[in-house]
Amino acid sequence: MSPTAPNSGPTSSPTSSPSFELLPGAVDSPVILHVPHSAREIPADVRADLLLDDPALERELDHITDSHTARIAAEAARACAVTPWLFVNRLSRLVVDPERFPDEREEMLAVGMGAVYTRTTHHADLRPADHDPEPLIDRYFRPYARAMTDAVADRLAATGRAVVIDLHSYPTAPLPYELHGTDPRPAVCLGTDTLHTLPTLLSAAREAFSGCGEIGLDSPFIGTYVPLEFYGKEPAVGALMVEIRRDTYMTEPGGPPDGPGVARLVSALTTLVNAVSP
């Protein structure tokens, strides 16, 4: 998991755009639930540049989308004693992936999946070889990064700390694009960072998700999401990535949710947020 992009100053008001939404929580909540990969929406002009036909695109969306994670986060937020803030990407990661570096620092460039993907999960061509990513980065990636930076700065100003809980899912069987596909694939993978994931946060997550199956650490996905203005610099910004194996709560690859599985995850996420809130 790569931290996100450019620096920006704090803001005191919620932010939204057609591509993302910041839903306000309690004024005294330090928690931001971040849901970057749950959507399937692709604007028509972006769709026109994709090389896949409609059936192939639907299959790719099934594989690449963290389906139903926005629902899990929203239901948990409503159930929390102190309502967390909720930052949700409303566009597919096939438009831009807000959790990649937008430059050569991104390791996923090796498989054509930097901030703007050129290859699919199965190594097929997604965009033309000469596609210029800069217009999409400027239109979607940078505003998203600024807004997320602002949201974290706002929580720091209001509460003295921020806790970013980054919600994802991953398939039971590894996809060809994965760089660490041979690593263990537990029911719940917790991604951590040396500075930003305090032992108390990790311990709270282990306890909260203990009823959801085996819990692993940084396998098969590694790290956390922290805006670059704070990454490696501000220990008052806590961060944890929660990766859920999809067979525990839905029909794969992109099918309907499983009611009991979703309910367990909502309960676990609620417990975690409550544990790290005031």
Side-chain angles (χ1 to χ4, degrees), residues 93-98 100-103 106 109 113-117 127 133 137 141:
R93 63 196 292 191
L94 297 184
V95 180
V96 297
D97 191 329
R100 302 283 200 246
F101 284 112
D103 52 36
E106 179 52 59
L109 283 171
M113 300 180 83
V116 177
Y117 297 175
R127 289 182 169 93
I137 289 173
F141 186 96

mmCIF file of all heavy atoms in Angstrom, residues 93-98 100-103 106 109 113-117 127 133 137 141:
data_model
loop_
_atom_site.group_PDB
_atom_site.id
_atom_site.type_symbol
_atom_site.label_atom_id
_atom_site.label_comp_id
_atom_site.label_asym_id
_atom_site.label_seq_id
_atom_site.Cartn_x
_atom_site.Cartn_y
_atom_site.Cartn_z
ATOM 1 N N ARG A 93 -11.566 2.273 -9.285
ATOM 2 C CA ARG A 93 -10.115 2.435 -9.306
ATOM 3 C C ARG A 93 -9.536 2.290 -10.709
ATOM 4 O O ARG A 93 -8.359 2.580 -10.928
ATOM 5 C CB ARG A 93 -9.470 1.412 -8.365
ATOM 6 C CG ARG A 93 -9.711 -0.029 -8.780
ATOM 7 C CD ARG A 93 -9.432 -1.021 -7.687
ATOM 8 N NE ARG A 93 -8.028 -1.121 -7.344
ATOM 9 C CZ ARG A 93 -7.535 -2.096 -6.560
ATOM 10 N NH1 ARG A 93 -8.349 -3.023 -6.044
ATOM 11 N NH2 ARG A 93 -6.258 -2.144 -6.294
ATOM 12 N N LEU A 94 -10.362 1.868 -11.673
ATOM 13 C CA LEU A 94 -9.920 1.853 -13.063
ATOM 14 C C LEU A 94 -9.877 3.267 -13.659
ATOM 15 O O LEU A 94 -9.303 3.458 -14.728
ATOM 16 C CB LEU A 94 -10.835 0.968 -13.920
ATOM 17 C CG LEU A 94 -10.863 -0.518 -13.569
ATOM 18 C CD1 LEU A 94 -11.729 -1.280 -14.558
ATOM 19 C CD2 LEU A 94 -9.455 -1.115 -13.523
ATOM 20 N N VAL A 95 -10.478 4.228 -12.983
ATOM 21 C CA VAL A 95 -10.347 5.627 -13.395
ATOM 22 C C VAL A 95 -8.979 6.127 -12.935
ATOM 23 O O VAL A 95 -8.118 6.444 -13.750
ATOM 24 C CB VAL A 95 -11.493 6.480 -12.825
ATOM 25 C CG1 VAL A 95 -11.340 7.936 -13.252
ATOM 26 C CG2 VAL A 95 -12.848 5.928 -13.266
ATOM 27 N N VAL A 96 -8.786 6.231 -11.641
ATOM 28 C CA VAL A 96 -7.457 6.365 -11.039
ATOM 29 C C VAL A 96 -7.489 5.568 -9.746
ATOM 30 O O VAL A 96 -8.546 5.385 -9.141
ATOM 31 C CB VAL A 96 -7.056 7.828 -10.724
ATOM 32 C CG1 VAL A 96 -6.963 8.664 -11.986
ATOM 33 C CG2 VAL A 96 -7.984 8.468 -9.712
ATOM 34 N N ASP A 97 -6.319 5.125 -9.317
ATOM 35 C CA ASP A 97 -6.213 4.467 -8.025
ATOM 36 C C ASP A 97 -5.614 5.471 -7.044
ATOM 37 O O ASP A 97 -4.424 5.794 -7.128
ATOM 38 C CB ASP A 97 -5.323 3.224 -8.111
ATOM 39 C CG ASP A 97 -5.411 2.382 -6.834
ATOM 40 O OD1 ASP A 97 -5.631 2.972 -5.757
ATOM 41 O OD2 ASP A 97 -5.260 1.152 -6.925
ATOM 42 N N PRO A 98 -6.416 5.983 -6.109
ATOM 43 C CA PRO A 98 -5.932 7.050 -5.227
ATOM 44 C C PRO A 98 -4.893 6.588 -4.223
ATOM 45 O O PRO A 98 -4.293 7.423 -3.537
ATOM 46 C CB PRO A 98 -7.212 7.519 -4.524
ATOM 47 C CG PRO A 98 -8.109 6.327 -4.538
ATOM 48 C CD PRO A 98 -7.827 5.635 -5.834
ATOM 49 N N ARG A 100 -2.128 4.787 -4.996
ATOM 50 C CA ARG A 100 -0.836 4.575 -5.631
ATOM 51 C C ARG A 100 -0.026 5.876 -5.625
ATOM 52 O O ARG A 100 -0.589 6.970 -5.571
ATOM 53 C CB ARG A 100 -1.024 4.125 -7.082
ATOM 54 C CG ARG A 100 -1.843 2.852 -7.255
ATOM 55 C CD ARG A 100 -1.050 1.619 -6.921
ATOM 56 N NE ARG A 100 -1.671 0.439 -7.526
ATOM 57 C CZ ARG A 100 -2.214 -0.558 -6.843
ATOM 58 N NH1 ARG A 100 -2.215 -0.535 -5.525
ATOM 59 N NH2 ARG A 100 -2.747 -1.590 -7.480
ATOM 60 N N PHE A 101 1.304 5.734 -5.694
ATOM 61 C CA PHE A 101 2.121 6.888 -6.021
ATOM 62 C C PHE A 101 1.846 7.258 -7.483
ATOM 63 O O PHE A 101 1.696 6.372 -8.338
ATOM 64 C CB PHE A 101 3.606 6.566 -5.878
ATOM 65 C CG PHE A 101 4.100 6.513 -4.461
ATOM 66 C CD1 PHE A 101 4.501 5.317 -3.896
ATOM 67 C CD2 PHE A 101 4.190 7.675 -3.700
ATOM 68 C CE1 PHE A 101 4.987 5.265 -2.597
ATOM 69 C CE2 PHE A 101 4.675 7.637 -2.401
ATOM 70 C CZ PHE A 101 5.072 6.425 -1.846
ATOM 71 N N PRO A 102 1.829 8.548 -7.817
ATOM 72 C CA PRO A 102 1.567 8.956 -9.196
ATOM 73 C C PRO A 102 2.824 9.028 -10.052
ATOM 74 O O PRO A 102 2.807 9.627 -11.126
ATOM 75 C CB PRO A 102 0.952 10.342 -9.026
ATOM 76 C CG PRO A 102 1.645 10.893 -7.820
ATOM 77 C CD PRO A 102 1.874 9.706 -6.899
ATOM 78 N N ASP A 103 3.917 8.412 -9.591
ATOM 79 C CA ASP A 103 5.190 8.532 -10.302
ATOM 80 C C ASP A 103 5.972 7.228 -10.184
ATOM 81 O O ASP A 103 5.421 6.188 -9.793
ATOM 82 C CB ASP A 103 5.992 9.724 -9.768
ATOM 83 C CG ASP A 103 6.157 9.699 -8.250
ATOM 84 O OD1 ASP A 103 6.296 8.597 -7.675
ATOM 85 O OD2 ASP A 103 6.137 10.778 -7.631
ATOM 86 N N GLU A 106 6.111 4.103 -7.487
ATOM 87 C CA GLU A 106 5.077 3.076 -7.333
ATOM 88 C C GLU A 106 5.552 1.716 -7.841
ATOM 89 O O GLU A 106 5.818 1.546 -9.035
ATOM 90 C CB GLU A 106 3.808 3.507 -8.068
ATOM 91 C CG GLU A 106 2.682 2.508 -7.999
ATOM 92 C CD GLU A 106 2.372 2.091 -6.571
ATOM 93 O OE1 GLU A 106 2.046 2.975 -5.754
ATOM 94 O OE2 GLU A 106 2.482 0.880 -6.293
ATOM 95 N N LEU A 109 3.813 -0.194 -10.854
ATOM 96 C CA LEU A 109 4.096 0.133 -12.252
ATOM 97 C C LEU A 109 4.687 -1.066 -12.988
ATOM 98 O O LEU A 109 4.550 -1.176 -14.214
ATOM 99 C CB LEU A 109 5.069 1.318 -12.334
ATOM 100 C CG LEU A 109 4.487 2.706 -12.070
ATOM 101 C CD1 LEU A 109 5.616 3.732 -11.967
ATOM 102 C CD2 LEU A 109 3.503 3.093 -13.169
ATOM 103 N N MET A 113 0.059 -1.124 -13.191
ATOM 104 C CA MET A 113 -1.030 -0.720 -12.305
ATOM 105 C C MET A 113 -0.547 0.339 -11.332
ATOM 106 O O MET A 113 -0.587 0.183 -10.120
ATOM 107 C CB MET A 113 -1.615 -1.936 -11.585
ATOM 108 C CG MET A 113 -2.171 -2.977 -12.553
ATOM 109 S SD MET A 113 -2.878 -4.436 -11.785
ATOM 110 C CE MET A 113 -4.516 -3.828 -11.395
ATOM 111 N N GLY A 114 -0.055 1.458 -11.917
ATOM 112 C CA GLY A 114 0.271 2.621 -11.115
ATOM 113 C C GLY A 114 -0.990 3.399 -10.803
ATOM 114 O O GLY A 114 -2.078 2.838 -10.681
ATOM 115 N N ALA A 115 -0.879 4.705 -10.683
ATOM 116 C CA ALA A 115 -2.058 5.517 -10.377
ATOM 117 C C ALA A 115 -3.113 5.414 -11.471
ATOM 118 O O ALA A 115 -4.320 5.462 -11.207
ATOM 119 C CB ALA A 115 -1.651 6.970 -10.165
ATOM 120 N N VAL A 116 -2.682 5.268 -12.714
ATOM 121 C CA VAL A 116 -3.592 5.051 -13.846
ATOM 122 C C VAL A 116 -3.205 3.715 -14.480
ATOM 123 O O VAL A 116 -2.107 3.567 -15.020
ATOM 124 C CB VAL A 116 -3.493 6.190 -14.874
ATOM 125 C CG1 VAL A 116 -4.397 5.908 -16.072
ATOM 126 C CG2 VAL A 116 -3.880 7.527 -14.228
ATOM 127 N N TYR A 117 -4.108 2.744 -14.394
ATOM 128 C CA TYR A 117 -3.787 1.393 -14.860
ATOM 129 C C TYR A 117 -3.705 1.336 -16.388
ATOM 130 O O TYR A 117 -4.538 1.911 -17.094
ATOM 131 C CB TYR A 117 -4.852 0.401 -14.412
ATOM 132 C CG TYR A 117 -5.005 0.224 -12.918
ATOM 133 C CD1 TYR A 117 -6.026 -0.583 -12.413
ATOM 134 C CD2 TYR A 117 -4.160 0.842 -12.010
ATOM 135 C CE1 TYR A 117 -6.192 -0.775 -11.055
ATOM 136 C CE2 TYR A 117 -4.319 0.662 -10.648
ATOM 137 C CZ TYR A 117 -5.345 -0.142 -10.163
ATOM 138 O OH TYR A 117 -5.508 -0.326 -8.820
ATOM 139 N N ARG A 127 -5.448 0.109 -21.417
ATOM 140 C CA ARG A 127 -5.377 1.364 -22.152
ATOM 141 C C ARG A 127 -4.293 1.261 -23.213
ATOM 142 O O ARG A 127 -3.394 0.426 -23.106
ATOM 143 C CB ARG A 127 -5.072 2.524 -21.194
ATOM 144 C CG ARG A 127 -6.221 2.894 -20.269
ATOM 145 C CD ARG A 127 -5.853 4.077 -19.389
ATOM 146 N NE ARG A 127 -7.035 4.616 -18.678
ATOM 147 C CZ ARG A 127 -7.394 4.243 -17.453
ATOM 148 N NH1 ARG A 127 -6.674 3.329 -16.803
ATOM 149 N NH2 ARG A 127 -8.483 4.771 -16.895
ATOM 150 N N PRO A 133 -1.258 9.520 -18.782
ATOM 151 C CA PRO A 133 -2.018 9.467 -17.530
ATOM 152 C C PRO A 133 -2.244 10.829 -16.887
ATOM 153 O O PRO A 133 -3.115 10.961 -16.018
ATOM 154 C CB PRO A 133 -1.127 8.600 -16.629
ATOM 155 C CG PRO A 133 0.258 8.859 -17.118
ATOM 156 C CD PRO A 133 0.127 9.032 -18.609
ATOM 157 N N ILE A 137 -4.739 12.079 -13.712
ATOM 158 C CA ILE A 137 -4.122 12.390 -12.425
ATOM 159 C C ILE A 137 -4.510 13.788 -11.987
ATOM 160 O O ILE A 137 -4.846 14.030 -10.817
ATOM 161 C CB ILE A 137 -2.597 12.217 -12.518
ATOM 162 C CG1 ILE A 137 -2.249 10.723 -12.631
ATOM 163 C CG2 ILE A 137 -1.902 12.831 -11.307
ATOM 164 C CD1 ILE A 137 -0.789 10.445 -12.889
ATOM 165 N N PHE A 141 -6.928 12.356 -9.382
ATOM 166 C CA PHE A 141 -6.011 11.914 -8.335
ATOM 167 C C PHE A 141 -5.646 13.046 -7.386
ATOM 168 O O PHE A 141 -5.734 12.902 -6.157
ATOM 169 C CB PHE A 141 -4.754 11.317 -8.977
ATOM 170 C CG PHE A 141 -3.789 10.707 -7.992
ATOM 171 C CD1 PHE A 141 -3.810 9.347 -7.731
ATOM 172 C CD2 PHE A 141 -2.854 11.490 -7.329
ATOM 173 C CE1 PHE A 141 -2.921 8.783 -6.824
ATOM 174 C CE2 PHE A 141 -1.962 10.937 -6.425
ATOM 175 C CZ PHE A 141 -1.998 9.574 -6.179
#
